[in-house]
PDB file of all heavy atoms in Angstrom:
ATOM      1  N   TRP A 146      60.164 -18.769 -22.609  1.00  0.00           N
ATOM      2  CA  TRP A 146      59.766 -18.808 -21.211  1.00  0.00           C
ATOM      3  C   TRP A 146      59.104 -20.145 -20.932  1.00  0.00           C
ATOM      4  O   TRP A 146      58.298 -20.630 -21.731  1.00  0.00           O
ATOM      5  CB  TRP A 146      58.791 -17.684 -20.875  1.00  0.00           C
ATOM      6  CG  TRP A 146      59.426 -16.332 -20.810  1.00  0.00           C
ATOM      7  CD1 TRP A 146      59.520 -15.412 -21.802  1.00  0.00           C
ATOM      8  CD2 TRP A 146      60.059 -15.751 -19.670  1.00  0.00           C
ATOM      9  NE1 TRP A 146      60.170 -14.288 -21.360  1.00  0.00           N
ATOM     10  CE2 TRP A 146      60.514 -14.475 -20.044  1.00  0.00           C
ATOM     11  CE3 TRP A 146      60.287 -16.185 -18.359  1.00  0.00           C
ATOM     12  CZ2 TRP A 146      61.182 -13.626 -19.154  1.00  0.00           C
ATOM     13  CZ3 TRP A 146      60.956 -15.350 -17.486  1.00  0.00           C
ATOM     14  CH2 TRP A 146      61.388 -14.085 -17.898  1.00  0.00           C
ATOM     15  N   LEU A 147      59.439 -20.713 -19.796  1.00  0.00           N
ATOM     16  CA  LEU A 147      58.844 -21.947 -19.322  1.00  0.00           C
ATOM     17  C   LEU A 147      58.347 -21.728 -17.903  1.00  0.00           C
ATOM     18  O   LEU A 147      58.774 -20.789 -17.238  1.00  0.00           O
ATOM     19  CB  LEU A 147      59.846 -23.099 -19.361  1.00  0.00           C
ATOM     20  CG  LEU A 147      60.497 -23.395 -20.720  1.00  0.00           C
ATOM     21  CD1 LEU A 147      61.815 -22.643 -20.856  1.00  0.00           C
ATOM     22  CD2 LEU A 147      60.727 -24.883 -20.901  1.00  0.00           C
ATOM     23  N   ARG A 148      57.462 -22.589 -17.451  1.00  0.00           N
ATOM     24  CA  ARG A 148      56.968 -22.467 -16.090  1.00  0.00           C
ATOM     25  C   ARG A 148      56.745 -23.840 -15.487  1.00  0.00           C
ATOM     26  O   ARG A 148      56.502 -24.819 -16.189  1.00  0.00           O
ATOM     27  CB  ARG A 148      55.672 -21.648 -16.050  1.00  0.00           C
ATOM     28  CG  ARG A 148      54.481 -22.325 -16.706  1.00  0.00           C
ATOM     29  CD  ARG A 148      53.287 -21.377 -16.755  1.00  0.00           C
ATOM     30  NE  ARG A 148      52.111 -22.020 -17.313  1.00  0.00           N
ATOM     31  CZ  ARG A 148      50.976 -21.385 -17.594  1.00  0.00           C
ATOM     32  NH1 ARG A 148      50.865 -20.081 -17.365  1.00  0.00           N
ATOM     33  NH2 ARG A 148      49.953 -22.065 -18.108  1.00  0.00           N
ATOM     34  N   GLN A 149      56.828 -23.876 -14.172  1.00  0.00           N
ATOM     35  CA  GLN A 149      56.573 -25.108 -13.452  1.00  0.00           C
ATOM     36  C   GLN A 149      55.763 -24.788 -12.209  1.00  0.00           C
ATOM     37  O   GLN A 149      56.236 -24.084 -11.314  1.00  0.00           O
ATOM     38  CB  GLN A 149      57.874 -25.810 -13.071  1.00  0.00           C
ATOM     39  CG  GLN A 149      57.646 -27.171 -12.435  1.00  0.00           C
ATOM     40  CD  GLN A 149      58.921 -27.971 -12.297  1.00  0.00           C
ATOM     41  OE1 GLN A 149      60.009 -27.412 -12.205  1.00  0.00           O
ATOM     42  NE2 GLN A 149      58.792 -29.280 -12.294  1.00  0.00           N
ATOM     43  N   ALA A 150      54.549 -25.303 -12.177  1.00  0.00           N
ATOM     44  CA  ALA A 150      53.695 -25.158 -11.016  1.00  0.00           C
ATOM     45  C   ALA A 150      54.035 -26.240  -9.996  1.00  0.00           C
ATOM     46  O   ALA A 150      54.554 -27.301 -10.343  1.00  0.00           O
ATOM     47  CB  ALA A 150      52.229 -25.252 -11.419  1.00  0.00           C
ATOM     48  N   ALA A 151      53.718 -25.965  -8.745  1.00  0.00           N
ATOM     49  CA  ALA A 151      54.001 -26.922  -7.681  1.00  0.00           C
ATOM     50  C   ALA A 151      53.340 -28.260  -7.974  1.00  0.00           C
ATOM     51  O   ALA A 151      52.145 -28.320  -8.264  1.00  0.00           O
ATOM     52  CB  ALA A 151      53.515 -26.371  -6.349  1.00  0.00           C
ATOM     53  N   GLY A 152      54.121 -29.315  -7.928  1.00  0.00           N
ATOM     54  CA  GLY A 152      53.596 -30.647  -8.146  1.00  0.00           C
ATOM     55  C   GLY A 152      53.337 -31.015  -9.588  1.00  0.00           C
ATOM     56  O   GLY A 152      52.797 -32.095  -9.855  1.00  0.00           O
ATOM     57  N   LYS A 153      53.710 -30.163 -10.541  1.00  0.00           N
ATOM     58  CA  LYS A 153      53.454 -30.425 -11.948  1.00  0.00           C
ATOM     59  C   LYS A 153      54.742 -30.401 -12.760  1.00  0.00           C
ATOM     60  O   LYS A 153      55.779 -29.910 -12.299  1.00  0.00           O
ATOM     61  CB  LYS A 153      52.469 -29.406 -12.517  1.00  0.00           C
ATOM     62  CG  LYS A 153      51.078 -29.477 -11.914  1.00  0.00           C
ATOM     63  CD  LYS A 153      50.117 -28.562 -12.637  1.00  0.00           C
ATOM     64  CE  LYS A 153      48.708 -28.690 -12.087  1.00  0.00           C
ATOM     65  NZ  LYS A 153      47.762 -27.804 -12.807  1.00  0.00           N
ATOM     66  N   GLU A 154      54.662 -30.926 -13.973  1.00  0.00           N
ATOM     67  CA  GLU A 154      55.794 -30.910 -14.881  1.00  0.00           C
ATOM     68  C   GLU A 154      56.014 -29.513 -15.445  1.00  0.00           C
ATOM     69  O   GLU A 154      55.077 -28.727 -15.591  1.00  0.00           O
ATOM     70  CB  GLU A 154      55.563 -31.892 -16.026  1.00  0.00           C
ATOM     71  CG  GLU A 154      55.529 -33.348 -15.611  1.00  0.00           C
ATOM     72  CD  GLU A 154      56.882 -33.838 -15.176  1.00  0.00           C
ATOM     73  OE1 GLU A 154      57.856 -33.642 -15.919  1.00  0.00           O
ATOM     74  OE2 GLU A 154      56.963 -34.419 -14.078  1.00  0.00           O
ATOM     75  N   ARG A 155      57.255 -29.223 -15.784  1.00  0.00           N
ATOM     76  CA  ARG A 155      57.571 -27.953 -16.420  1.00  0.00           C
ATOM     77  C   ARG A 155      57.016 -27.947 -17.849  1.00  0.00           C
ATOM     78  O   ARG A 155      57.048 -28.963 -18.541  1.00  0.00           O
ATOM     79  CB  ARG A 155      59.079 -27.736 -16.445  1.00  0.00           C
ATOM     80  CG  ARG A 155      59.482 -26.354 -16.915  1.00  0.00           C
ATOM     81  CD  ARG A 155      60.955 -26.097 -16.704  1.00  0.00           C
ATOM     82  NE  ARG A 155      61.780 -26.957 -17.536  1.00  0.00           N
ATOM     83  CZ  ARG A 155      63.110 -26.930 -17.541  1.00  0.00           C
ATOM     84  NH1 ARG A 155      63.758 -26.088 -16.738  1.00  0.00           N
ATOM     85  NH2 ARG A 155      63.782 -27.754 -18.331  1.00  0.00           N
ATOM     86  N   GLU A 156      56.503 -26.790 -18.279  1.00  0.00           N
ATOM     87  CA  GLU A 156      55.953 -26.655 -19.610  1.00  0.00           C
ATOM     88  C   GLU A 156      56.437 -25.365 -20.257  1.00  0.00           C
ATOM     89  O   GLU A 156      56.699 -24.374 -19.580  1.00  0.00           O
ATOM     90  CB  GLU A 156      54.420 -26.668 -19.577  1.00  0.00           C
ATOM     91  CG  GLU A 156      53.813 -25.521 -18.787  1.00  0.00           C
ATOM     92  CD  GLU A 156      52.299 -25.569 -18.747  1.00  0.00           C
ATOM     93  OE1 GLU A 156      51.703 -26.472 -19.361  1.00  0.00           O
ATOM     94  OE2 GLU A 156      51.699 -24.685 -18.089  1.00  0.00           O
ATOM     95  N   SER A 157      56.541 -25.375 -21.567  1.00  0.00           N
ATOM     96  CA  SER A 157      56.912 -24.178 -22.301  1.00  0.00           C
ATOM     97  C   SER A 157      55.699 -23.272 -22.453  1.00  0.00           C
ATOM     98  O   SER A 157      54.568 -23.740 -22.595  1.00  0.00           O
ATOM     99  CB  SER A 157      57.496 -24.534 -23.663  1.00  0.00           C
ATOM    100  OG  SER A 157      56.582 -25.297 -24.424  1.00  0.00           O
ATOM    101  N   VAL A 158      55.932 -21.975 -22.428  1.00  0.00           N
ATOM    102  CA  VAL A 158      54.866 -20.985 -22.466  1.00  0.00           C
ATOM    103  C   VAL A 158      54.913 -20.145 -23.738  1.00  0.00           C
ATOM    104  O   VAL A 158      53.889 -19.930 -24.392  1.00  0.00           O
ATOM    105  CB  VAL A 158      54.944 -20.068 -21.232  1.00  0.00           C
ATOM    106  CG1 VAL A 158      53.894 -18.965 -21.307  1.00  0.00           C
ATOM    107  CG2 VAL A 158      54.768 -20.884 -19.959  1.00  0.00           C
ATOM    108  N   ALA A 159      56.091 -19.653 -24.085  1.00  0.00           N
ATOM    109  CA  ALA A 159      56.229 -18.761 -25.228  1.00  0.00           C
ATOM    110  C   ALA A 159      57.659 -18.788 -25.720  1.00  0.00           C
ATOM    111  O   ALA A 159      58.577 -19.144 -24.979  1.00  0.00           O
ATOM    112  CB  ALA A 159      55.823 -17.327 -24.853  1.00  0.00           C
ATOM    113  N   ALA A 160      57.856 -18.394 -26.973  1.00  0.00           N
ATOM    114  CA  ALA A 160      59.188 -18.338 -27.552  1.00  0.00           C
ATOM    115  C   ALA A 160      59.263 -17.214 -28.570  1.00  0.00           C
ATOM    116  O   ALA A 160      58.246 -16.824 -29.156  1.00  0.00           O
ATOM    117  CB  ALA A 160      59.552 -19.669 -28.208  1.00  0.00           C
ATOM    118  N   ILE A 161      60.474 -16.710 -28.787  1.00  0.00           N
ATOM    119  CA  ILE A 161      60.690 -15.640 -29.754  1.00  0.00           C
ATOM    120  C   ILE A 161      62.033 -15.823 -30.435  1.00  0.00           C
ATOM    121  O   ILE A 161      63.034 -16.112 -29.781  1.00  0.00           O
ATOM    122  CB  ILE A 161      60.587 -14.246 -29.073  1.00  0.00           C
ATOM    123  CG1 ILE A 161      60.709 -13.129 -30.108  1.00  0.00           C
ATOM    124  CG2 ILE A 161      61.635 -14.095 -27.971  1.00  0.00           C
ATOM    125  CD1 ILE A 161      60.320 -11.766 -29.565  1.00  0.00           C
ATOM    126  N   THR A 162      62.035 -15.677 -31.755  1.00  0.00           N
ATOM    127  CA  THR A 162      63.281 -15.689 -32.503  1.00  0.00           C
ATOM    128  C   THR A 162      63.985 -14.360 -32.292  1.00  0.00           C
ATOM    129  O   THR A 162      63.401 -13.299 -32.528  1.00  0.00           O
ATOM    130  CB  THR A 162      63.015 -15.912 -33.993  1.00  0.00           C
ATOM    131  OG1 THR A 162      62.314 -17.143 -34.177  1.00  0.00           O
ATOM    132  CG2 THR A 162      64.314 -15.962 -34.777  1.00  0.00           C
ATOM    133  N   TRP A 163      65.239 -14.423 -31.826  1.00  0.00           N
ATOM    134  CA  TRP A 163      65.937 -13.203 -31.448  1.00  0.00           C
ATOM    135  C   TRP A 163      66.063 -12.222 -32.601  1.00  0.00           C
ATOM    136  O   TRP A 163      65.834 -11.026 -32.430  1.00  0.00           O
ATOM    137  CB  TRP A 163      67.318 -13.548 -30.899  1.00  0.00           C
ATOM    138  CG  TRP A 163      68.021 -12.367 -30.336  1.00  0.00           C
ATOM    139  CD1 TRP A 163      68.993 -11.622 -30.927  1.00  0.00           C
ATOM    140  CD2 TRP A 163      67.786 -11.773 -29.053  1.00  0.00           C
ATOM    141  NE1 TRP A 163      69.386 -10.608 -30.103  1.00  0.00           N
ATOM    142  CE2 TRP A 163      68.661 -10.669 -28.933  1.00  0.00           C
ATOM    143  CE3 TRP A 163      66.931 -12.069 -27.992  1.00  0.00           C
ATOM    144  CZ2 TRP A 163      68.695  -9.863 -27.804  1.00  0.00           C
ATOM    145  CZ3 TRP A 163      66.969 -11.261 -26.868  1.00  0.00           C
ATOM    146  CH2 TRP A 163      67.843 -10.178 -26.788  1.00  0.00           C
ATOM    147  N   SER A 164      66.410 -12.708 -33.766  1.00  0.00           N
ATOM    148  CA  SER A 164      66.674 -11.824 -34.889  1.00  0.00           C
ATOM    149  C   SER A 164      65.404 -11.264 -35.515  1.00  0.00           C
ATOM    150  O   SER A 164      65.308 -10.054 -35.753  1.00  0.00           O
ATOM    151  CB  SER A 164      67.496 -12.554 -35.947  1.00  0.00           C
ATOM    152  OG  SER A 164      66.829 -13.711 -36.406  1.00  0.00           O
ATOM    153  N   SER A 165      64.418 -12.109 -35.777  1.00  0.00           N
ATOM    154  CA  SER A 165      63.234 -11.699 -36.520  1.00  0.00           C
ATOM    155  C   SER A 165      62.078 -11.246 -35.643  1.00  0.00           C
ATOM    156  O   SER A 165      61.203 -10.510 -36.103  1.00  0.00           O
ATOM    157  CB  SER A 165      62.759 -12.838 -37.415  1.00  0.00           C
ATOM    158  OG  SER A 165      62.225 -13.895 -36.637  1.00  0.00           O
ATOM    159  N   GLY A 166      62.024 -11.697 -34.400  1.00  0.00           N
ATOM    160  CA  GLY A 166      60.906 -11.387 -33.532  1.00  0.00           C
ATOM    161  C   GLY A 166      59.707 -12.294 -33.699  1.00  0.00           C
ATOM    162  O   GLY A 166      58.662 -12.046 -33.081  1.00  0.00           O
ATOM    163  N   THR A 167      59.811 -13.331 -34.498  1.00  0.00           N
ATOM    164  CA  THR A 167      58.720 -14.289 -34.657  1.00  0.00           C
ATOM    165  C   THR A 167      58.411 -14.959 -33.327  1.00  0.00           C
ATOM    166  O   THR A 167      59.322 -15.387 -32.619  1.00  0.00           O
ATOM    167  CB  THR A 167      59.089 -15.346 -35.707  1.00  0.00           C
ATOM    168  OG1 THR A 167      59.337 -14.708 -36.962  1.00  0.00           O
ATOM    169  CG2 THR A 167      57.962 -16.354 -35.875  1.00  0.00           C
ATOM    170  N   THR A 168      57.134 -15.055 -32.995  1.00  0.00           N
ATOM    171  CA  THR A 168      56.725 -15.572 -31.689  1.00  0.00           C
ATOM    172  C   THR A 168      55.863 -16.815 -31.815  1.00  0.00           C
ATOM    173  O   THR A 168      55.237 -17.069 -32.843  1.00  0.00           O
ATOM    174  CB  THR A 168      55.948 -14.516 -30.899  1.00  0.00           C
ATOM    175  OG1 THR A 168      54.777 -14.130 -31.639  1.00  0.00           O
ATOM    176  CG2 THR A 168      56.809 -13.282 -30.647  1.00  0.00           C
ATOM    177  N   SER A 169      55.823 -17.578 -30.736  1.00  0.00           N
ATOM    178  CA  SER A 169      54.920 -18.708 -30.612  1.00  0.00           C
ATOM    179  C   SER A 169      54.480 -18.806 -29.165  1.00  0.00           C
ATOM    180  O   SER A 169      55.204 -18.378 -28.262  1.00  0.00           O
ATOM    181  CB  SER A 169      55.572 -20.013 -31.080  1.00  0.00           C
ATOM    182  OG  SER A 169      56.712 -20.326 -30.300  1.00  0.00           O
ATOM    183  N   TYR A 170      53.280 -19.383 -28.939  1.00  0.00           N
ATOM    184  CA  TYR A 170      52.702 -19.417 -27.606  1.00  0.00           C
ATOM    185  C   TYR A 170      51.982 -20.728 -27.353  1.00  0.00           C
ATOM    186  O   TYR A 170      51.429 -21.346 -28.269  1.00  0.00           O
ATOM    187  CB  TYR A 170      51.683 -18.298 -27.411  1.00  0.00           C
ATOM    188  CG  TYR A 170      52.249 -16.909 -27.525  1.00  0.00           C
ATOM    189  CD1 TYR A 170      52.243 -16.236 -28.743  1.00  0.00           C
ATOM    190  CD2 TYR A 170      52.789 -16.267 -26.418  1.00  0.00           C
ATOM    191  CE1 TYR A 170      52.765 -14.958 -28.849  1.00  0.00           C
ATOM    192  CE2 TYR A 170      53.309 -14.989 -26.521  1.00  0.00           C
ATOM    193  CZ  TYR A 170      53.291 -14.340 -27.737  1.00  0.00           C
ATOM    194  OH  TYR A 170      53.814 -13.069 -27.835  1.00  0.00           O
ATOM    195  N   LYS A 171      51.975 -21.107 -26.107  1.00  0.00           N
ATOM    196  CA  LYS A 171      51.097 -22.171 -25.657  1.00  0.00           C
ATOM    197  C   LYS A 171      49.659 -21.682 -25.814  1.00  0.00           C
ATOM    198  O   LYS A 171      49.357 -20.518 -25.535  1.00  0.00           O
ATOM    199  CB  LYS A 171      51.404 -22.495 -24.197  1.00  0.00           C
ATOM    200  CG  LYS A 171      50.526 -23.541 -23.561  1.00  0.00           C
ATOM    201  CD  LYS A 171      50.933 -23.753 -22.111  1.00  0.00           C
ATOM    202  CE  LYS A 171      49.984 -24.707 -21.411  1.00  0.00           C
ATOM    203  NZ  LYS A 171      50.056 -26.070 -21.989  1.00  0.00           N
ATOM    204  N   ASP A 172      48.761 -22.560 -26.229  1.00  0.00           N
ATOM    205  CA  ASP A 172      47.389 -22.158 -26.519  1.00  0.00           C
ATOM    206  C   ASP A 172      46.715 -21.467 -25.339  1.00  0.00           C
ATOM    207  O   ASP A 172      45.964 -20.503 -25.527  1.00  0.00           O
ATOM    208  CB  ASP A 172      46.559 -23.366 -26.946  1.00  0.00           C
ATOM    209  CG  ASP A 172      46.865 -23.829 -28.354  1.00  0.00           C
ATOM    210  OD1 ASP A 172      47.479 -23.069 -29.121  1.00  0.00           O
ATOM    211  OD2 ASP A 172      46.469 -24.955 -28.691  1.00  0.00           O
ATOM    212  N   SER A 173      46.961 -21.930 -24.140  1.00  0.00           N
ATOM    213  CA  SER A 173      46.262 -21.406 -22.979  1.00  0.00           C
ATOM    214  C   SER A 173      46.645 -19.972 -22.622  1.00  0.00           C
ATOM    215  O   SER A 173      45.942 -19.331 -21.841  1.00  0.00           O
ATOM    216  CB  SER A 173      46.489 -22.313 -21.768  1.00  0.00           C
ATOM    217  OG  SER A 173      47.851 -22.330 -21.389  1.00  0.00           O
ATOM    218  N   VAL A 174      47.733 -19.455 -23.188  1.00  0.00           N
ATOM    219  CA  VAL A 174      48.147 -18.090 -22.879  1.00  0.00           C
ATOM    220  C   VAL A 174      48.008 -17.147 -24.067  1.00  0.00           C
ATOM    221  O   VAL A 174      48.258 -15.944 -23.925  1.00  0.00           O
ATOM    222  CB  VAL A 174      49.596 -18.031 -22.348  1.00  0.00           C
ATOM    223  CG1 VAL A 174      49.773 -19.000 -21.184  1.00  0.00           C
ATOM    224  CG2 VAL A 174      50.603 -18.316 -23.454  1.00  0.00           C
ATOM    225  N   LYS A 175      47.598 -17.646 -25.212  1.00  0.00           N
ATOM    226  CA  LYS A 175      47.435 -16.802 -26.394  1.00  0.00           C
ATOM    227  C   LYS A 175      46.413 -15.706 -26.122  1.00  0.00           C
ATOM    228  O   LYS A 175      45.344 -15.953 -25.574  1.00  0.00           O
ATOM    229  CB  LYS A 175      46.997 -17.631 -27.597  1.00  0.00           C
ATOM    230  CG  LYS A 175      48.088 -18.506 -28.181  1.00  0.00           C
ATOM    231  CD  LYS A 175      47.582 -19.286 -29.390  1.00  0.00           C
ATOM    232  CE  LYS A 175      48.685 -20.139 -29.986  1.00  0.00           C
ATOM    233  NZ  LYS A 175      48.189 -20.949 -31.132  1.00  0.00           N
ATOM    234  N   GLY A 176      46.764 -14.488 -26.506  1.00  0.00           N
ATOM    235  CA  GLY A 176      45.898 -13.354 -26.276  1.00  0.00           C
ATOM    236  C   GLY A 176      46.066 -12.719 -24.923  1.00  0.00           C
ATOM    237  O   GLY A 176      45.560 -11.610 -24.696  1.00  0.00           O
ATOM    238  N   ARG A 177      46.756 -13.396 -24.008  1.00  0.00           N
ATOM    239  CA  ARG A 177      46.986 -12.857 -22.670  1.00  0.00           C
ATOM    240  C   ARG A 177      48.456 -12.523 -22.426  1.00  0.00           C
ATOM    241  O   ARG A 177      48.761 -11.539 -21.759  1.00  0.00           O
ATOM    242  CB  ARG A 177      46.522 -13.849 -21.600  1.00  0.00           C
ATOM    243  CG  ARG A 177      45.037 -14.176 -21.676  1.00  0.00           C
ATOM    244  CD  ARG A 177      44.585 -14.960 -20.449  1.00  0.00           C
ATOM    245  NE  ARG A 177      45.270 -16.251 -20.336  1.00  0.00           N
ATOM    246  CZ  ARG A 177      46.018 -16.621 -19.298  1.00  0.00           C
ATOM    247  NH1 ARG A 177      46.186 -15.796 -18.269  1.00  0.00           N
ATOM    248  NH2 ARG A 177      46.585 -17.821 -19.277  1.00  0.00           N
ATOM    249  N   PHE A 178      49.342 -13.359 -22.943  1.00  0.00           N
ATOM    250  CA  PHE A 178      50.782 -13.172 -22.737  1.00  0.00           C
ATOM    251  C   PHE A 178      51.424 -12.684 -24.023  1.00  0.00           C
ATOM    252  O   PHE A 178      51.023 -13.083 -25.125  1.00  0.00           O
ATOM    253  CB  PHE A 178      51.451 -14.481 -22.338  1.00  0.00           C
ATOM    254  CG  PHE A 178      51.106 -14.986 -20.965  1.00  0.00           C
ATOM    255  CD1 PHE A 178      50.083 -14.433 -20.213  1.00  0.00           C
ATOM    256  CD2 PHE A 178      51.824 -16.045 -20.426  1.00  0.00           C
ATOM    257  CE1 PHE A 178      49.769 -14.916 -18.952  1.00  0.00           C
ATOM    258  CE2 PHE A 178      51.528 -16.537 -19.167  1.00  0.00           C
ATOM    259  CZ  PHE A 178      50.500 -15.971 -18.432  1.00  0.00           C
ATOM    260  N   THR A 179      52.439 -11.851 -23.882  1.00  0.00           N
ATOM    261  CA  THR A 179      53.210 -11.378 -25.023  1.00  0.00           C
ATOM    262  C   THR A 179      54.693 -11.485 -24.706  1.00  0.00           C
ATOM    263  O   THR A 179      55.158 -10.928 -23.709  1.00  0.00           O
ATOM    264  CB  THR A 179      52.868  -9.926 -25.374  1.00  0.00           C
ATOM    265  OG1 THR A 179      51.471  -9.805 -25.648  1.00  0.00           O
ATOM    266  CG2 THR A 179      53.658  -9.481 -26.608  1.00  0.00           C
ATOM    267  N   ILE A 180      55.428 -12.185 -25.551  1.00  0.00           N
ATOM    268  CA  ILE A 180      56.870 -12.272 -25.396  1.00  0.00           C
ATOM    269  C   ILE A 180      57.519 -11.250 -26.324  1.00  0.00           C
ATOM    270  O   ILE A 180      57.066 -11.037 -27.449  1.00  0.00           O
ATOM    271  CB  ILE A 180      57.385 -13.696 -25.681  1.00  0.00           C
ATOM    272  CG1 ILE A 180      58.880 -13.813 -25.344  1.00  0.00           C
ATOM    273  CG2 ILE A 180      57.112 -14.115 -27.113  1.00  0.00           C
ATOM    274  CD1 ILE A 180      59.404 -15.245 -25.375  1.00  0.00           C
ATOM    275  N   SER A 181      58.566 -10.604 -25.850  1.00  0.00           N
ATOM    276  CA  SER A 181      59.275  -9.615 -26.643  1.00  0.00           C
ATOM    277  C   SER A 181      60.731  -9.590 -26.232  1.00  0.00           C
ATOM    278  O   SER A 181      61.118 -10.234 -25.252  1.00  0.00           O
ATOM    279  CB  SER A 181      58.646  -8.226 -26.488  1.00  0.00           C
ATOM    280  OG  SER A 181      58.722  -7.784 -25.142  1.00  0.00           O
TER     281      SER A 181
END
């Protein structure tokens, strides 16, 4: 997942490996967002 706020550059937010389910997150969303 990526996001782009008005007037700002697009940034990556979270990622997940399809097969294994391994996840990674942008620091600012850790503990708040969950990718599945």
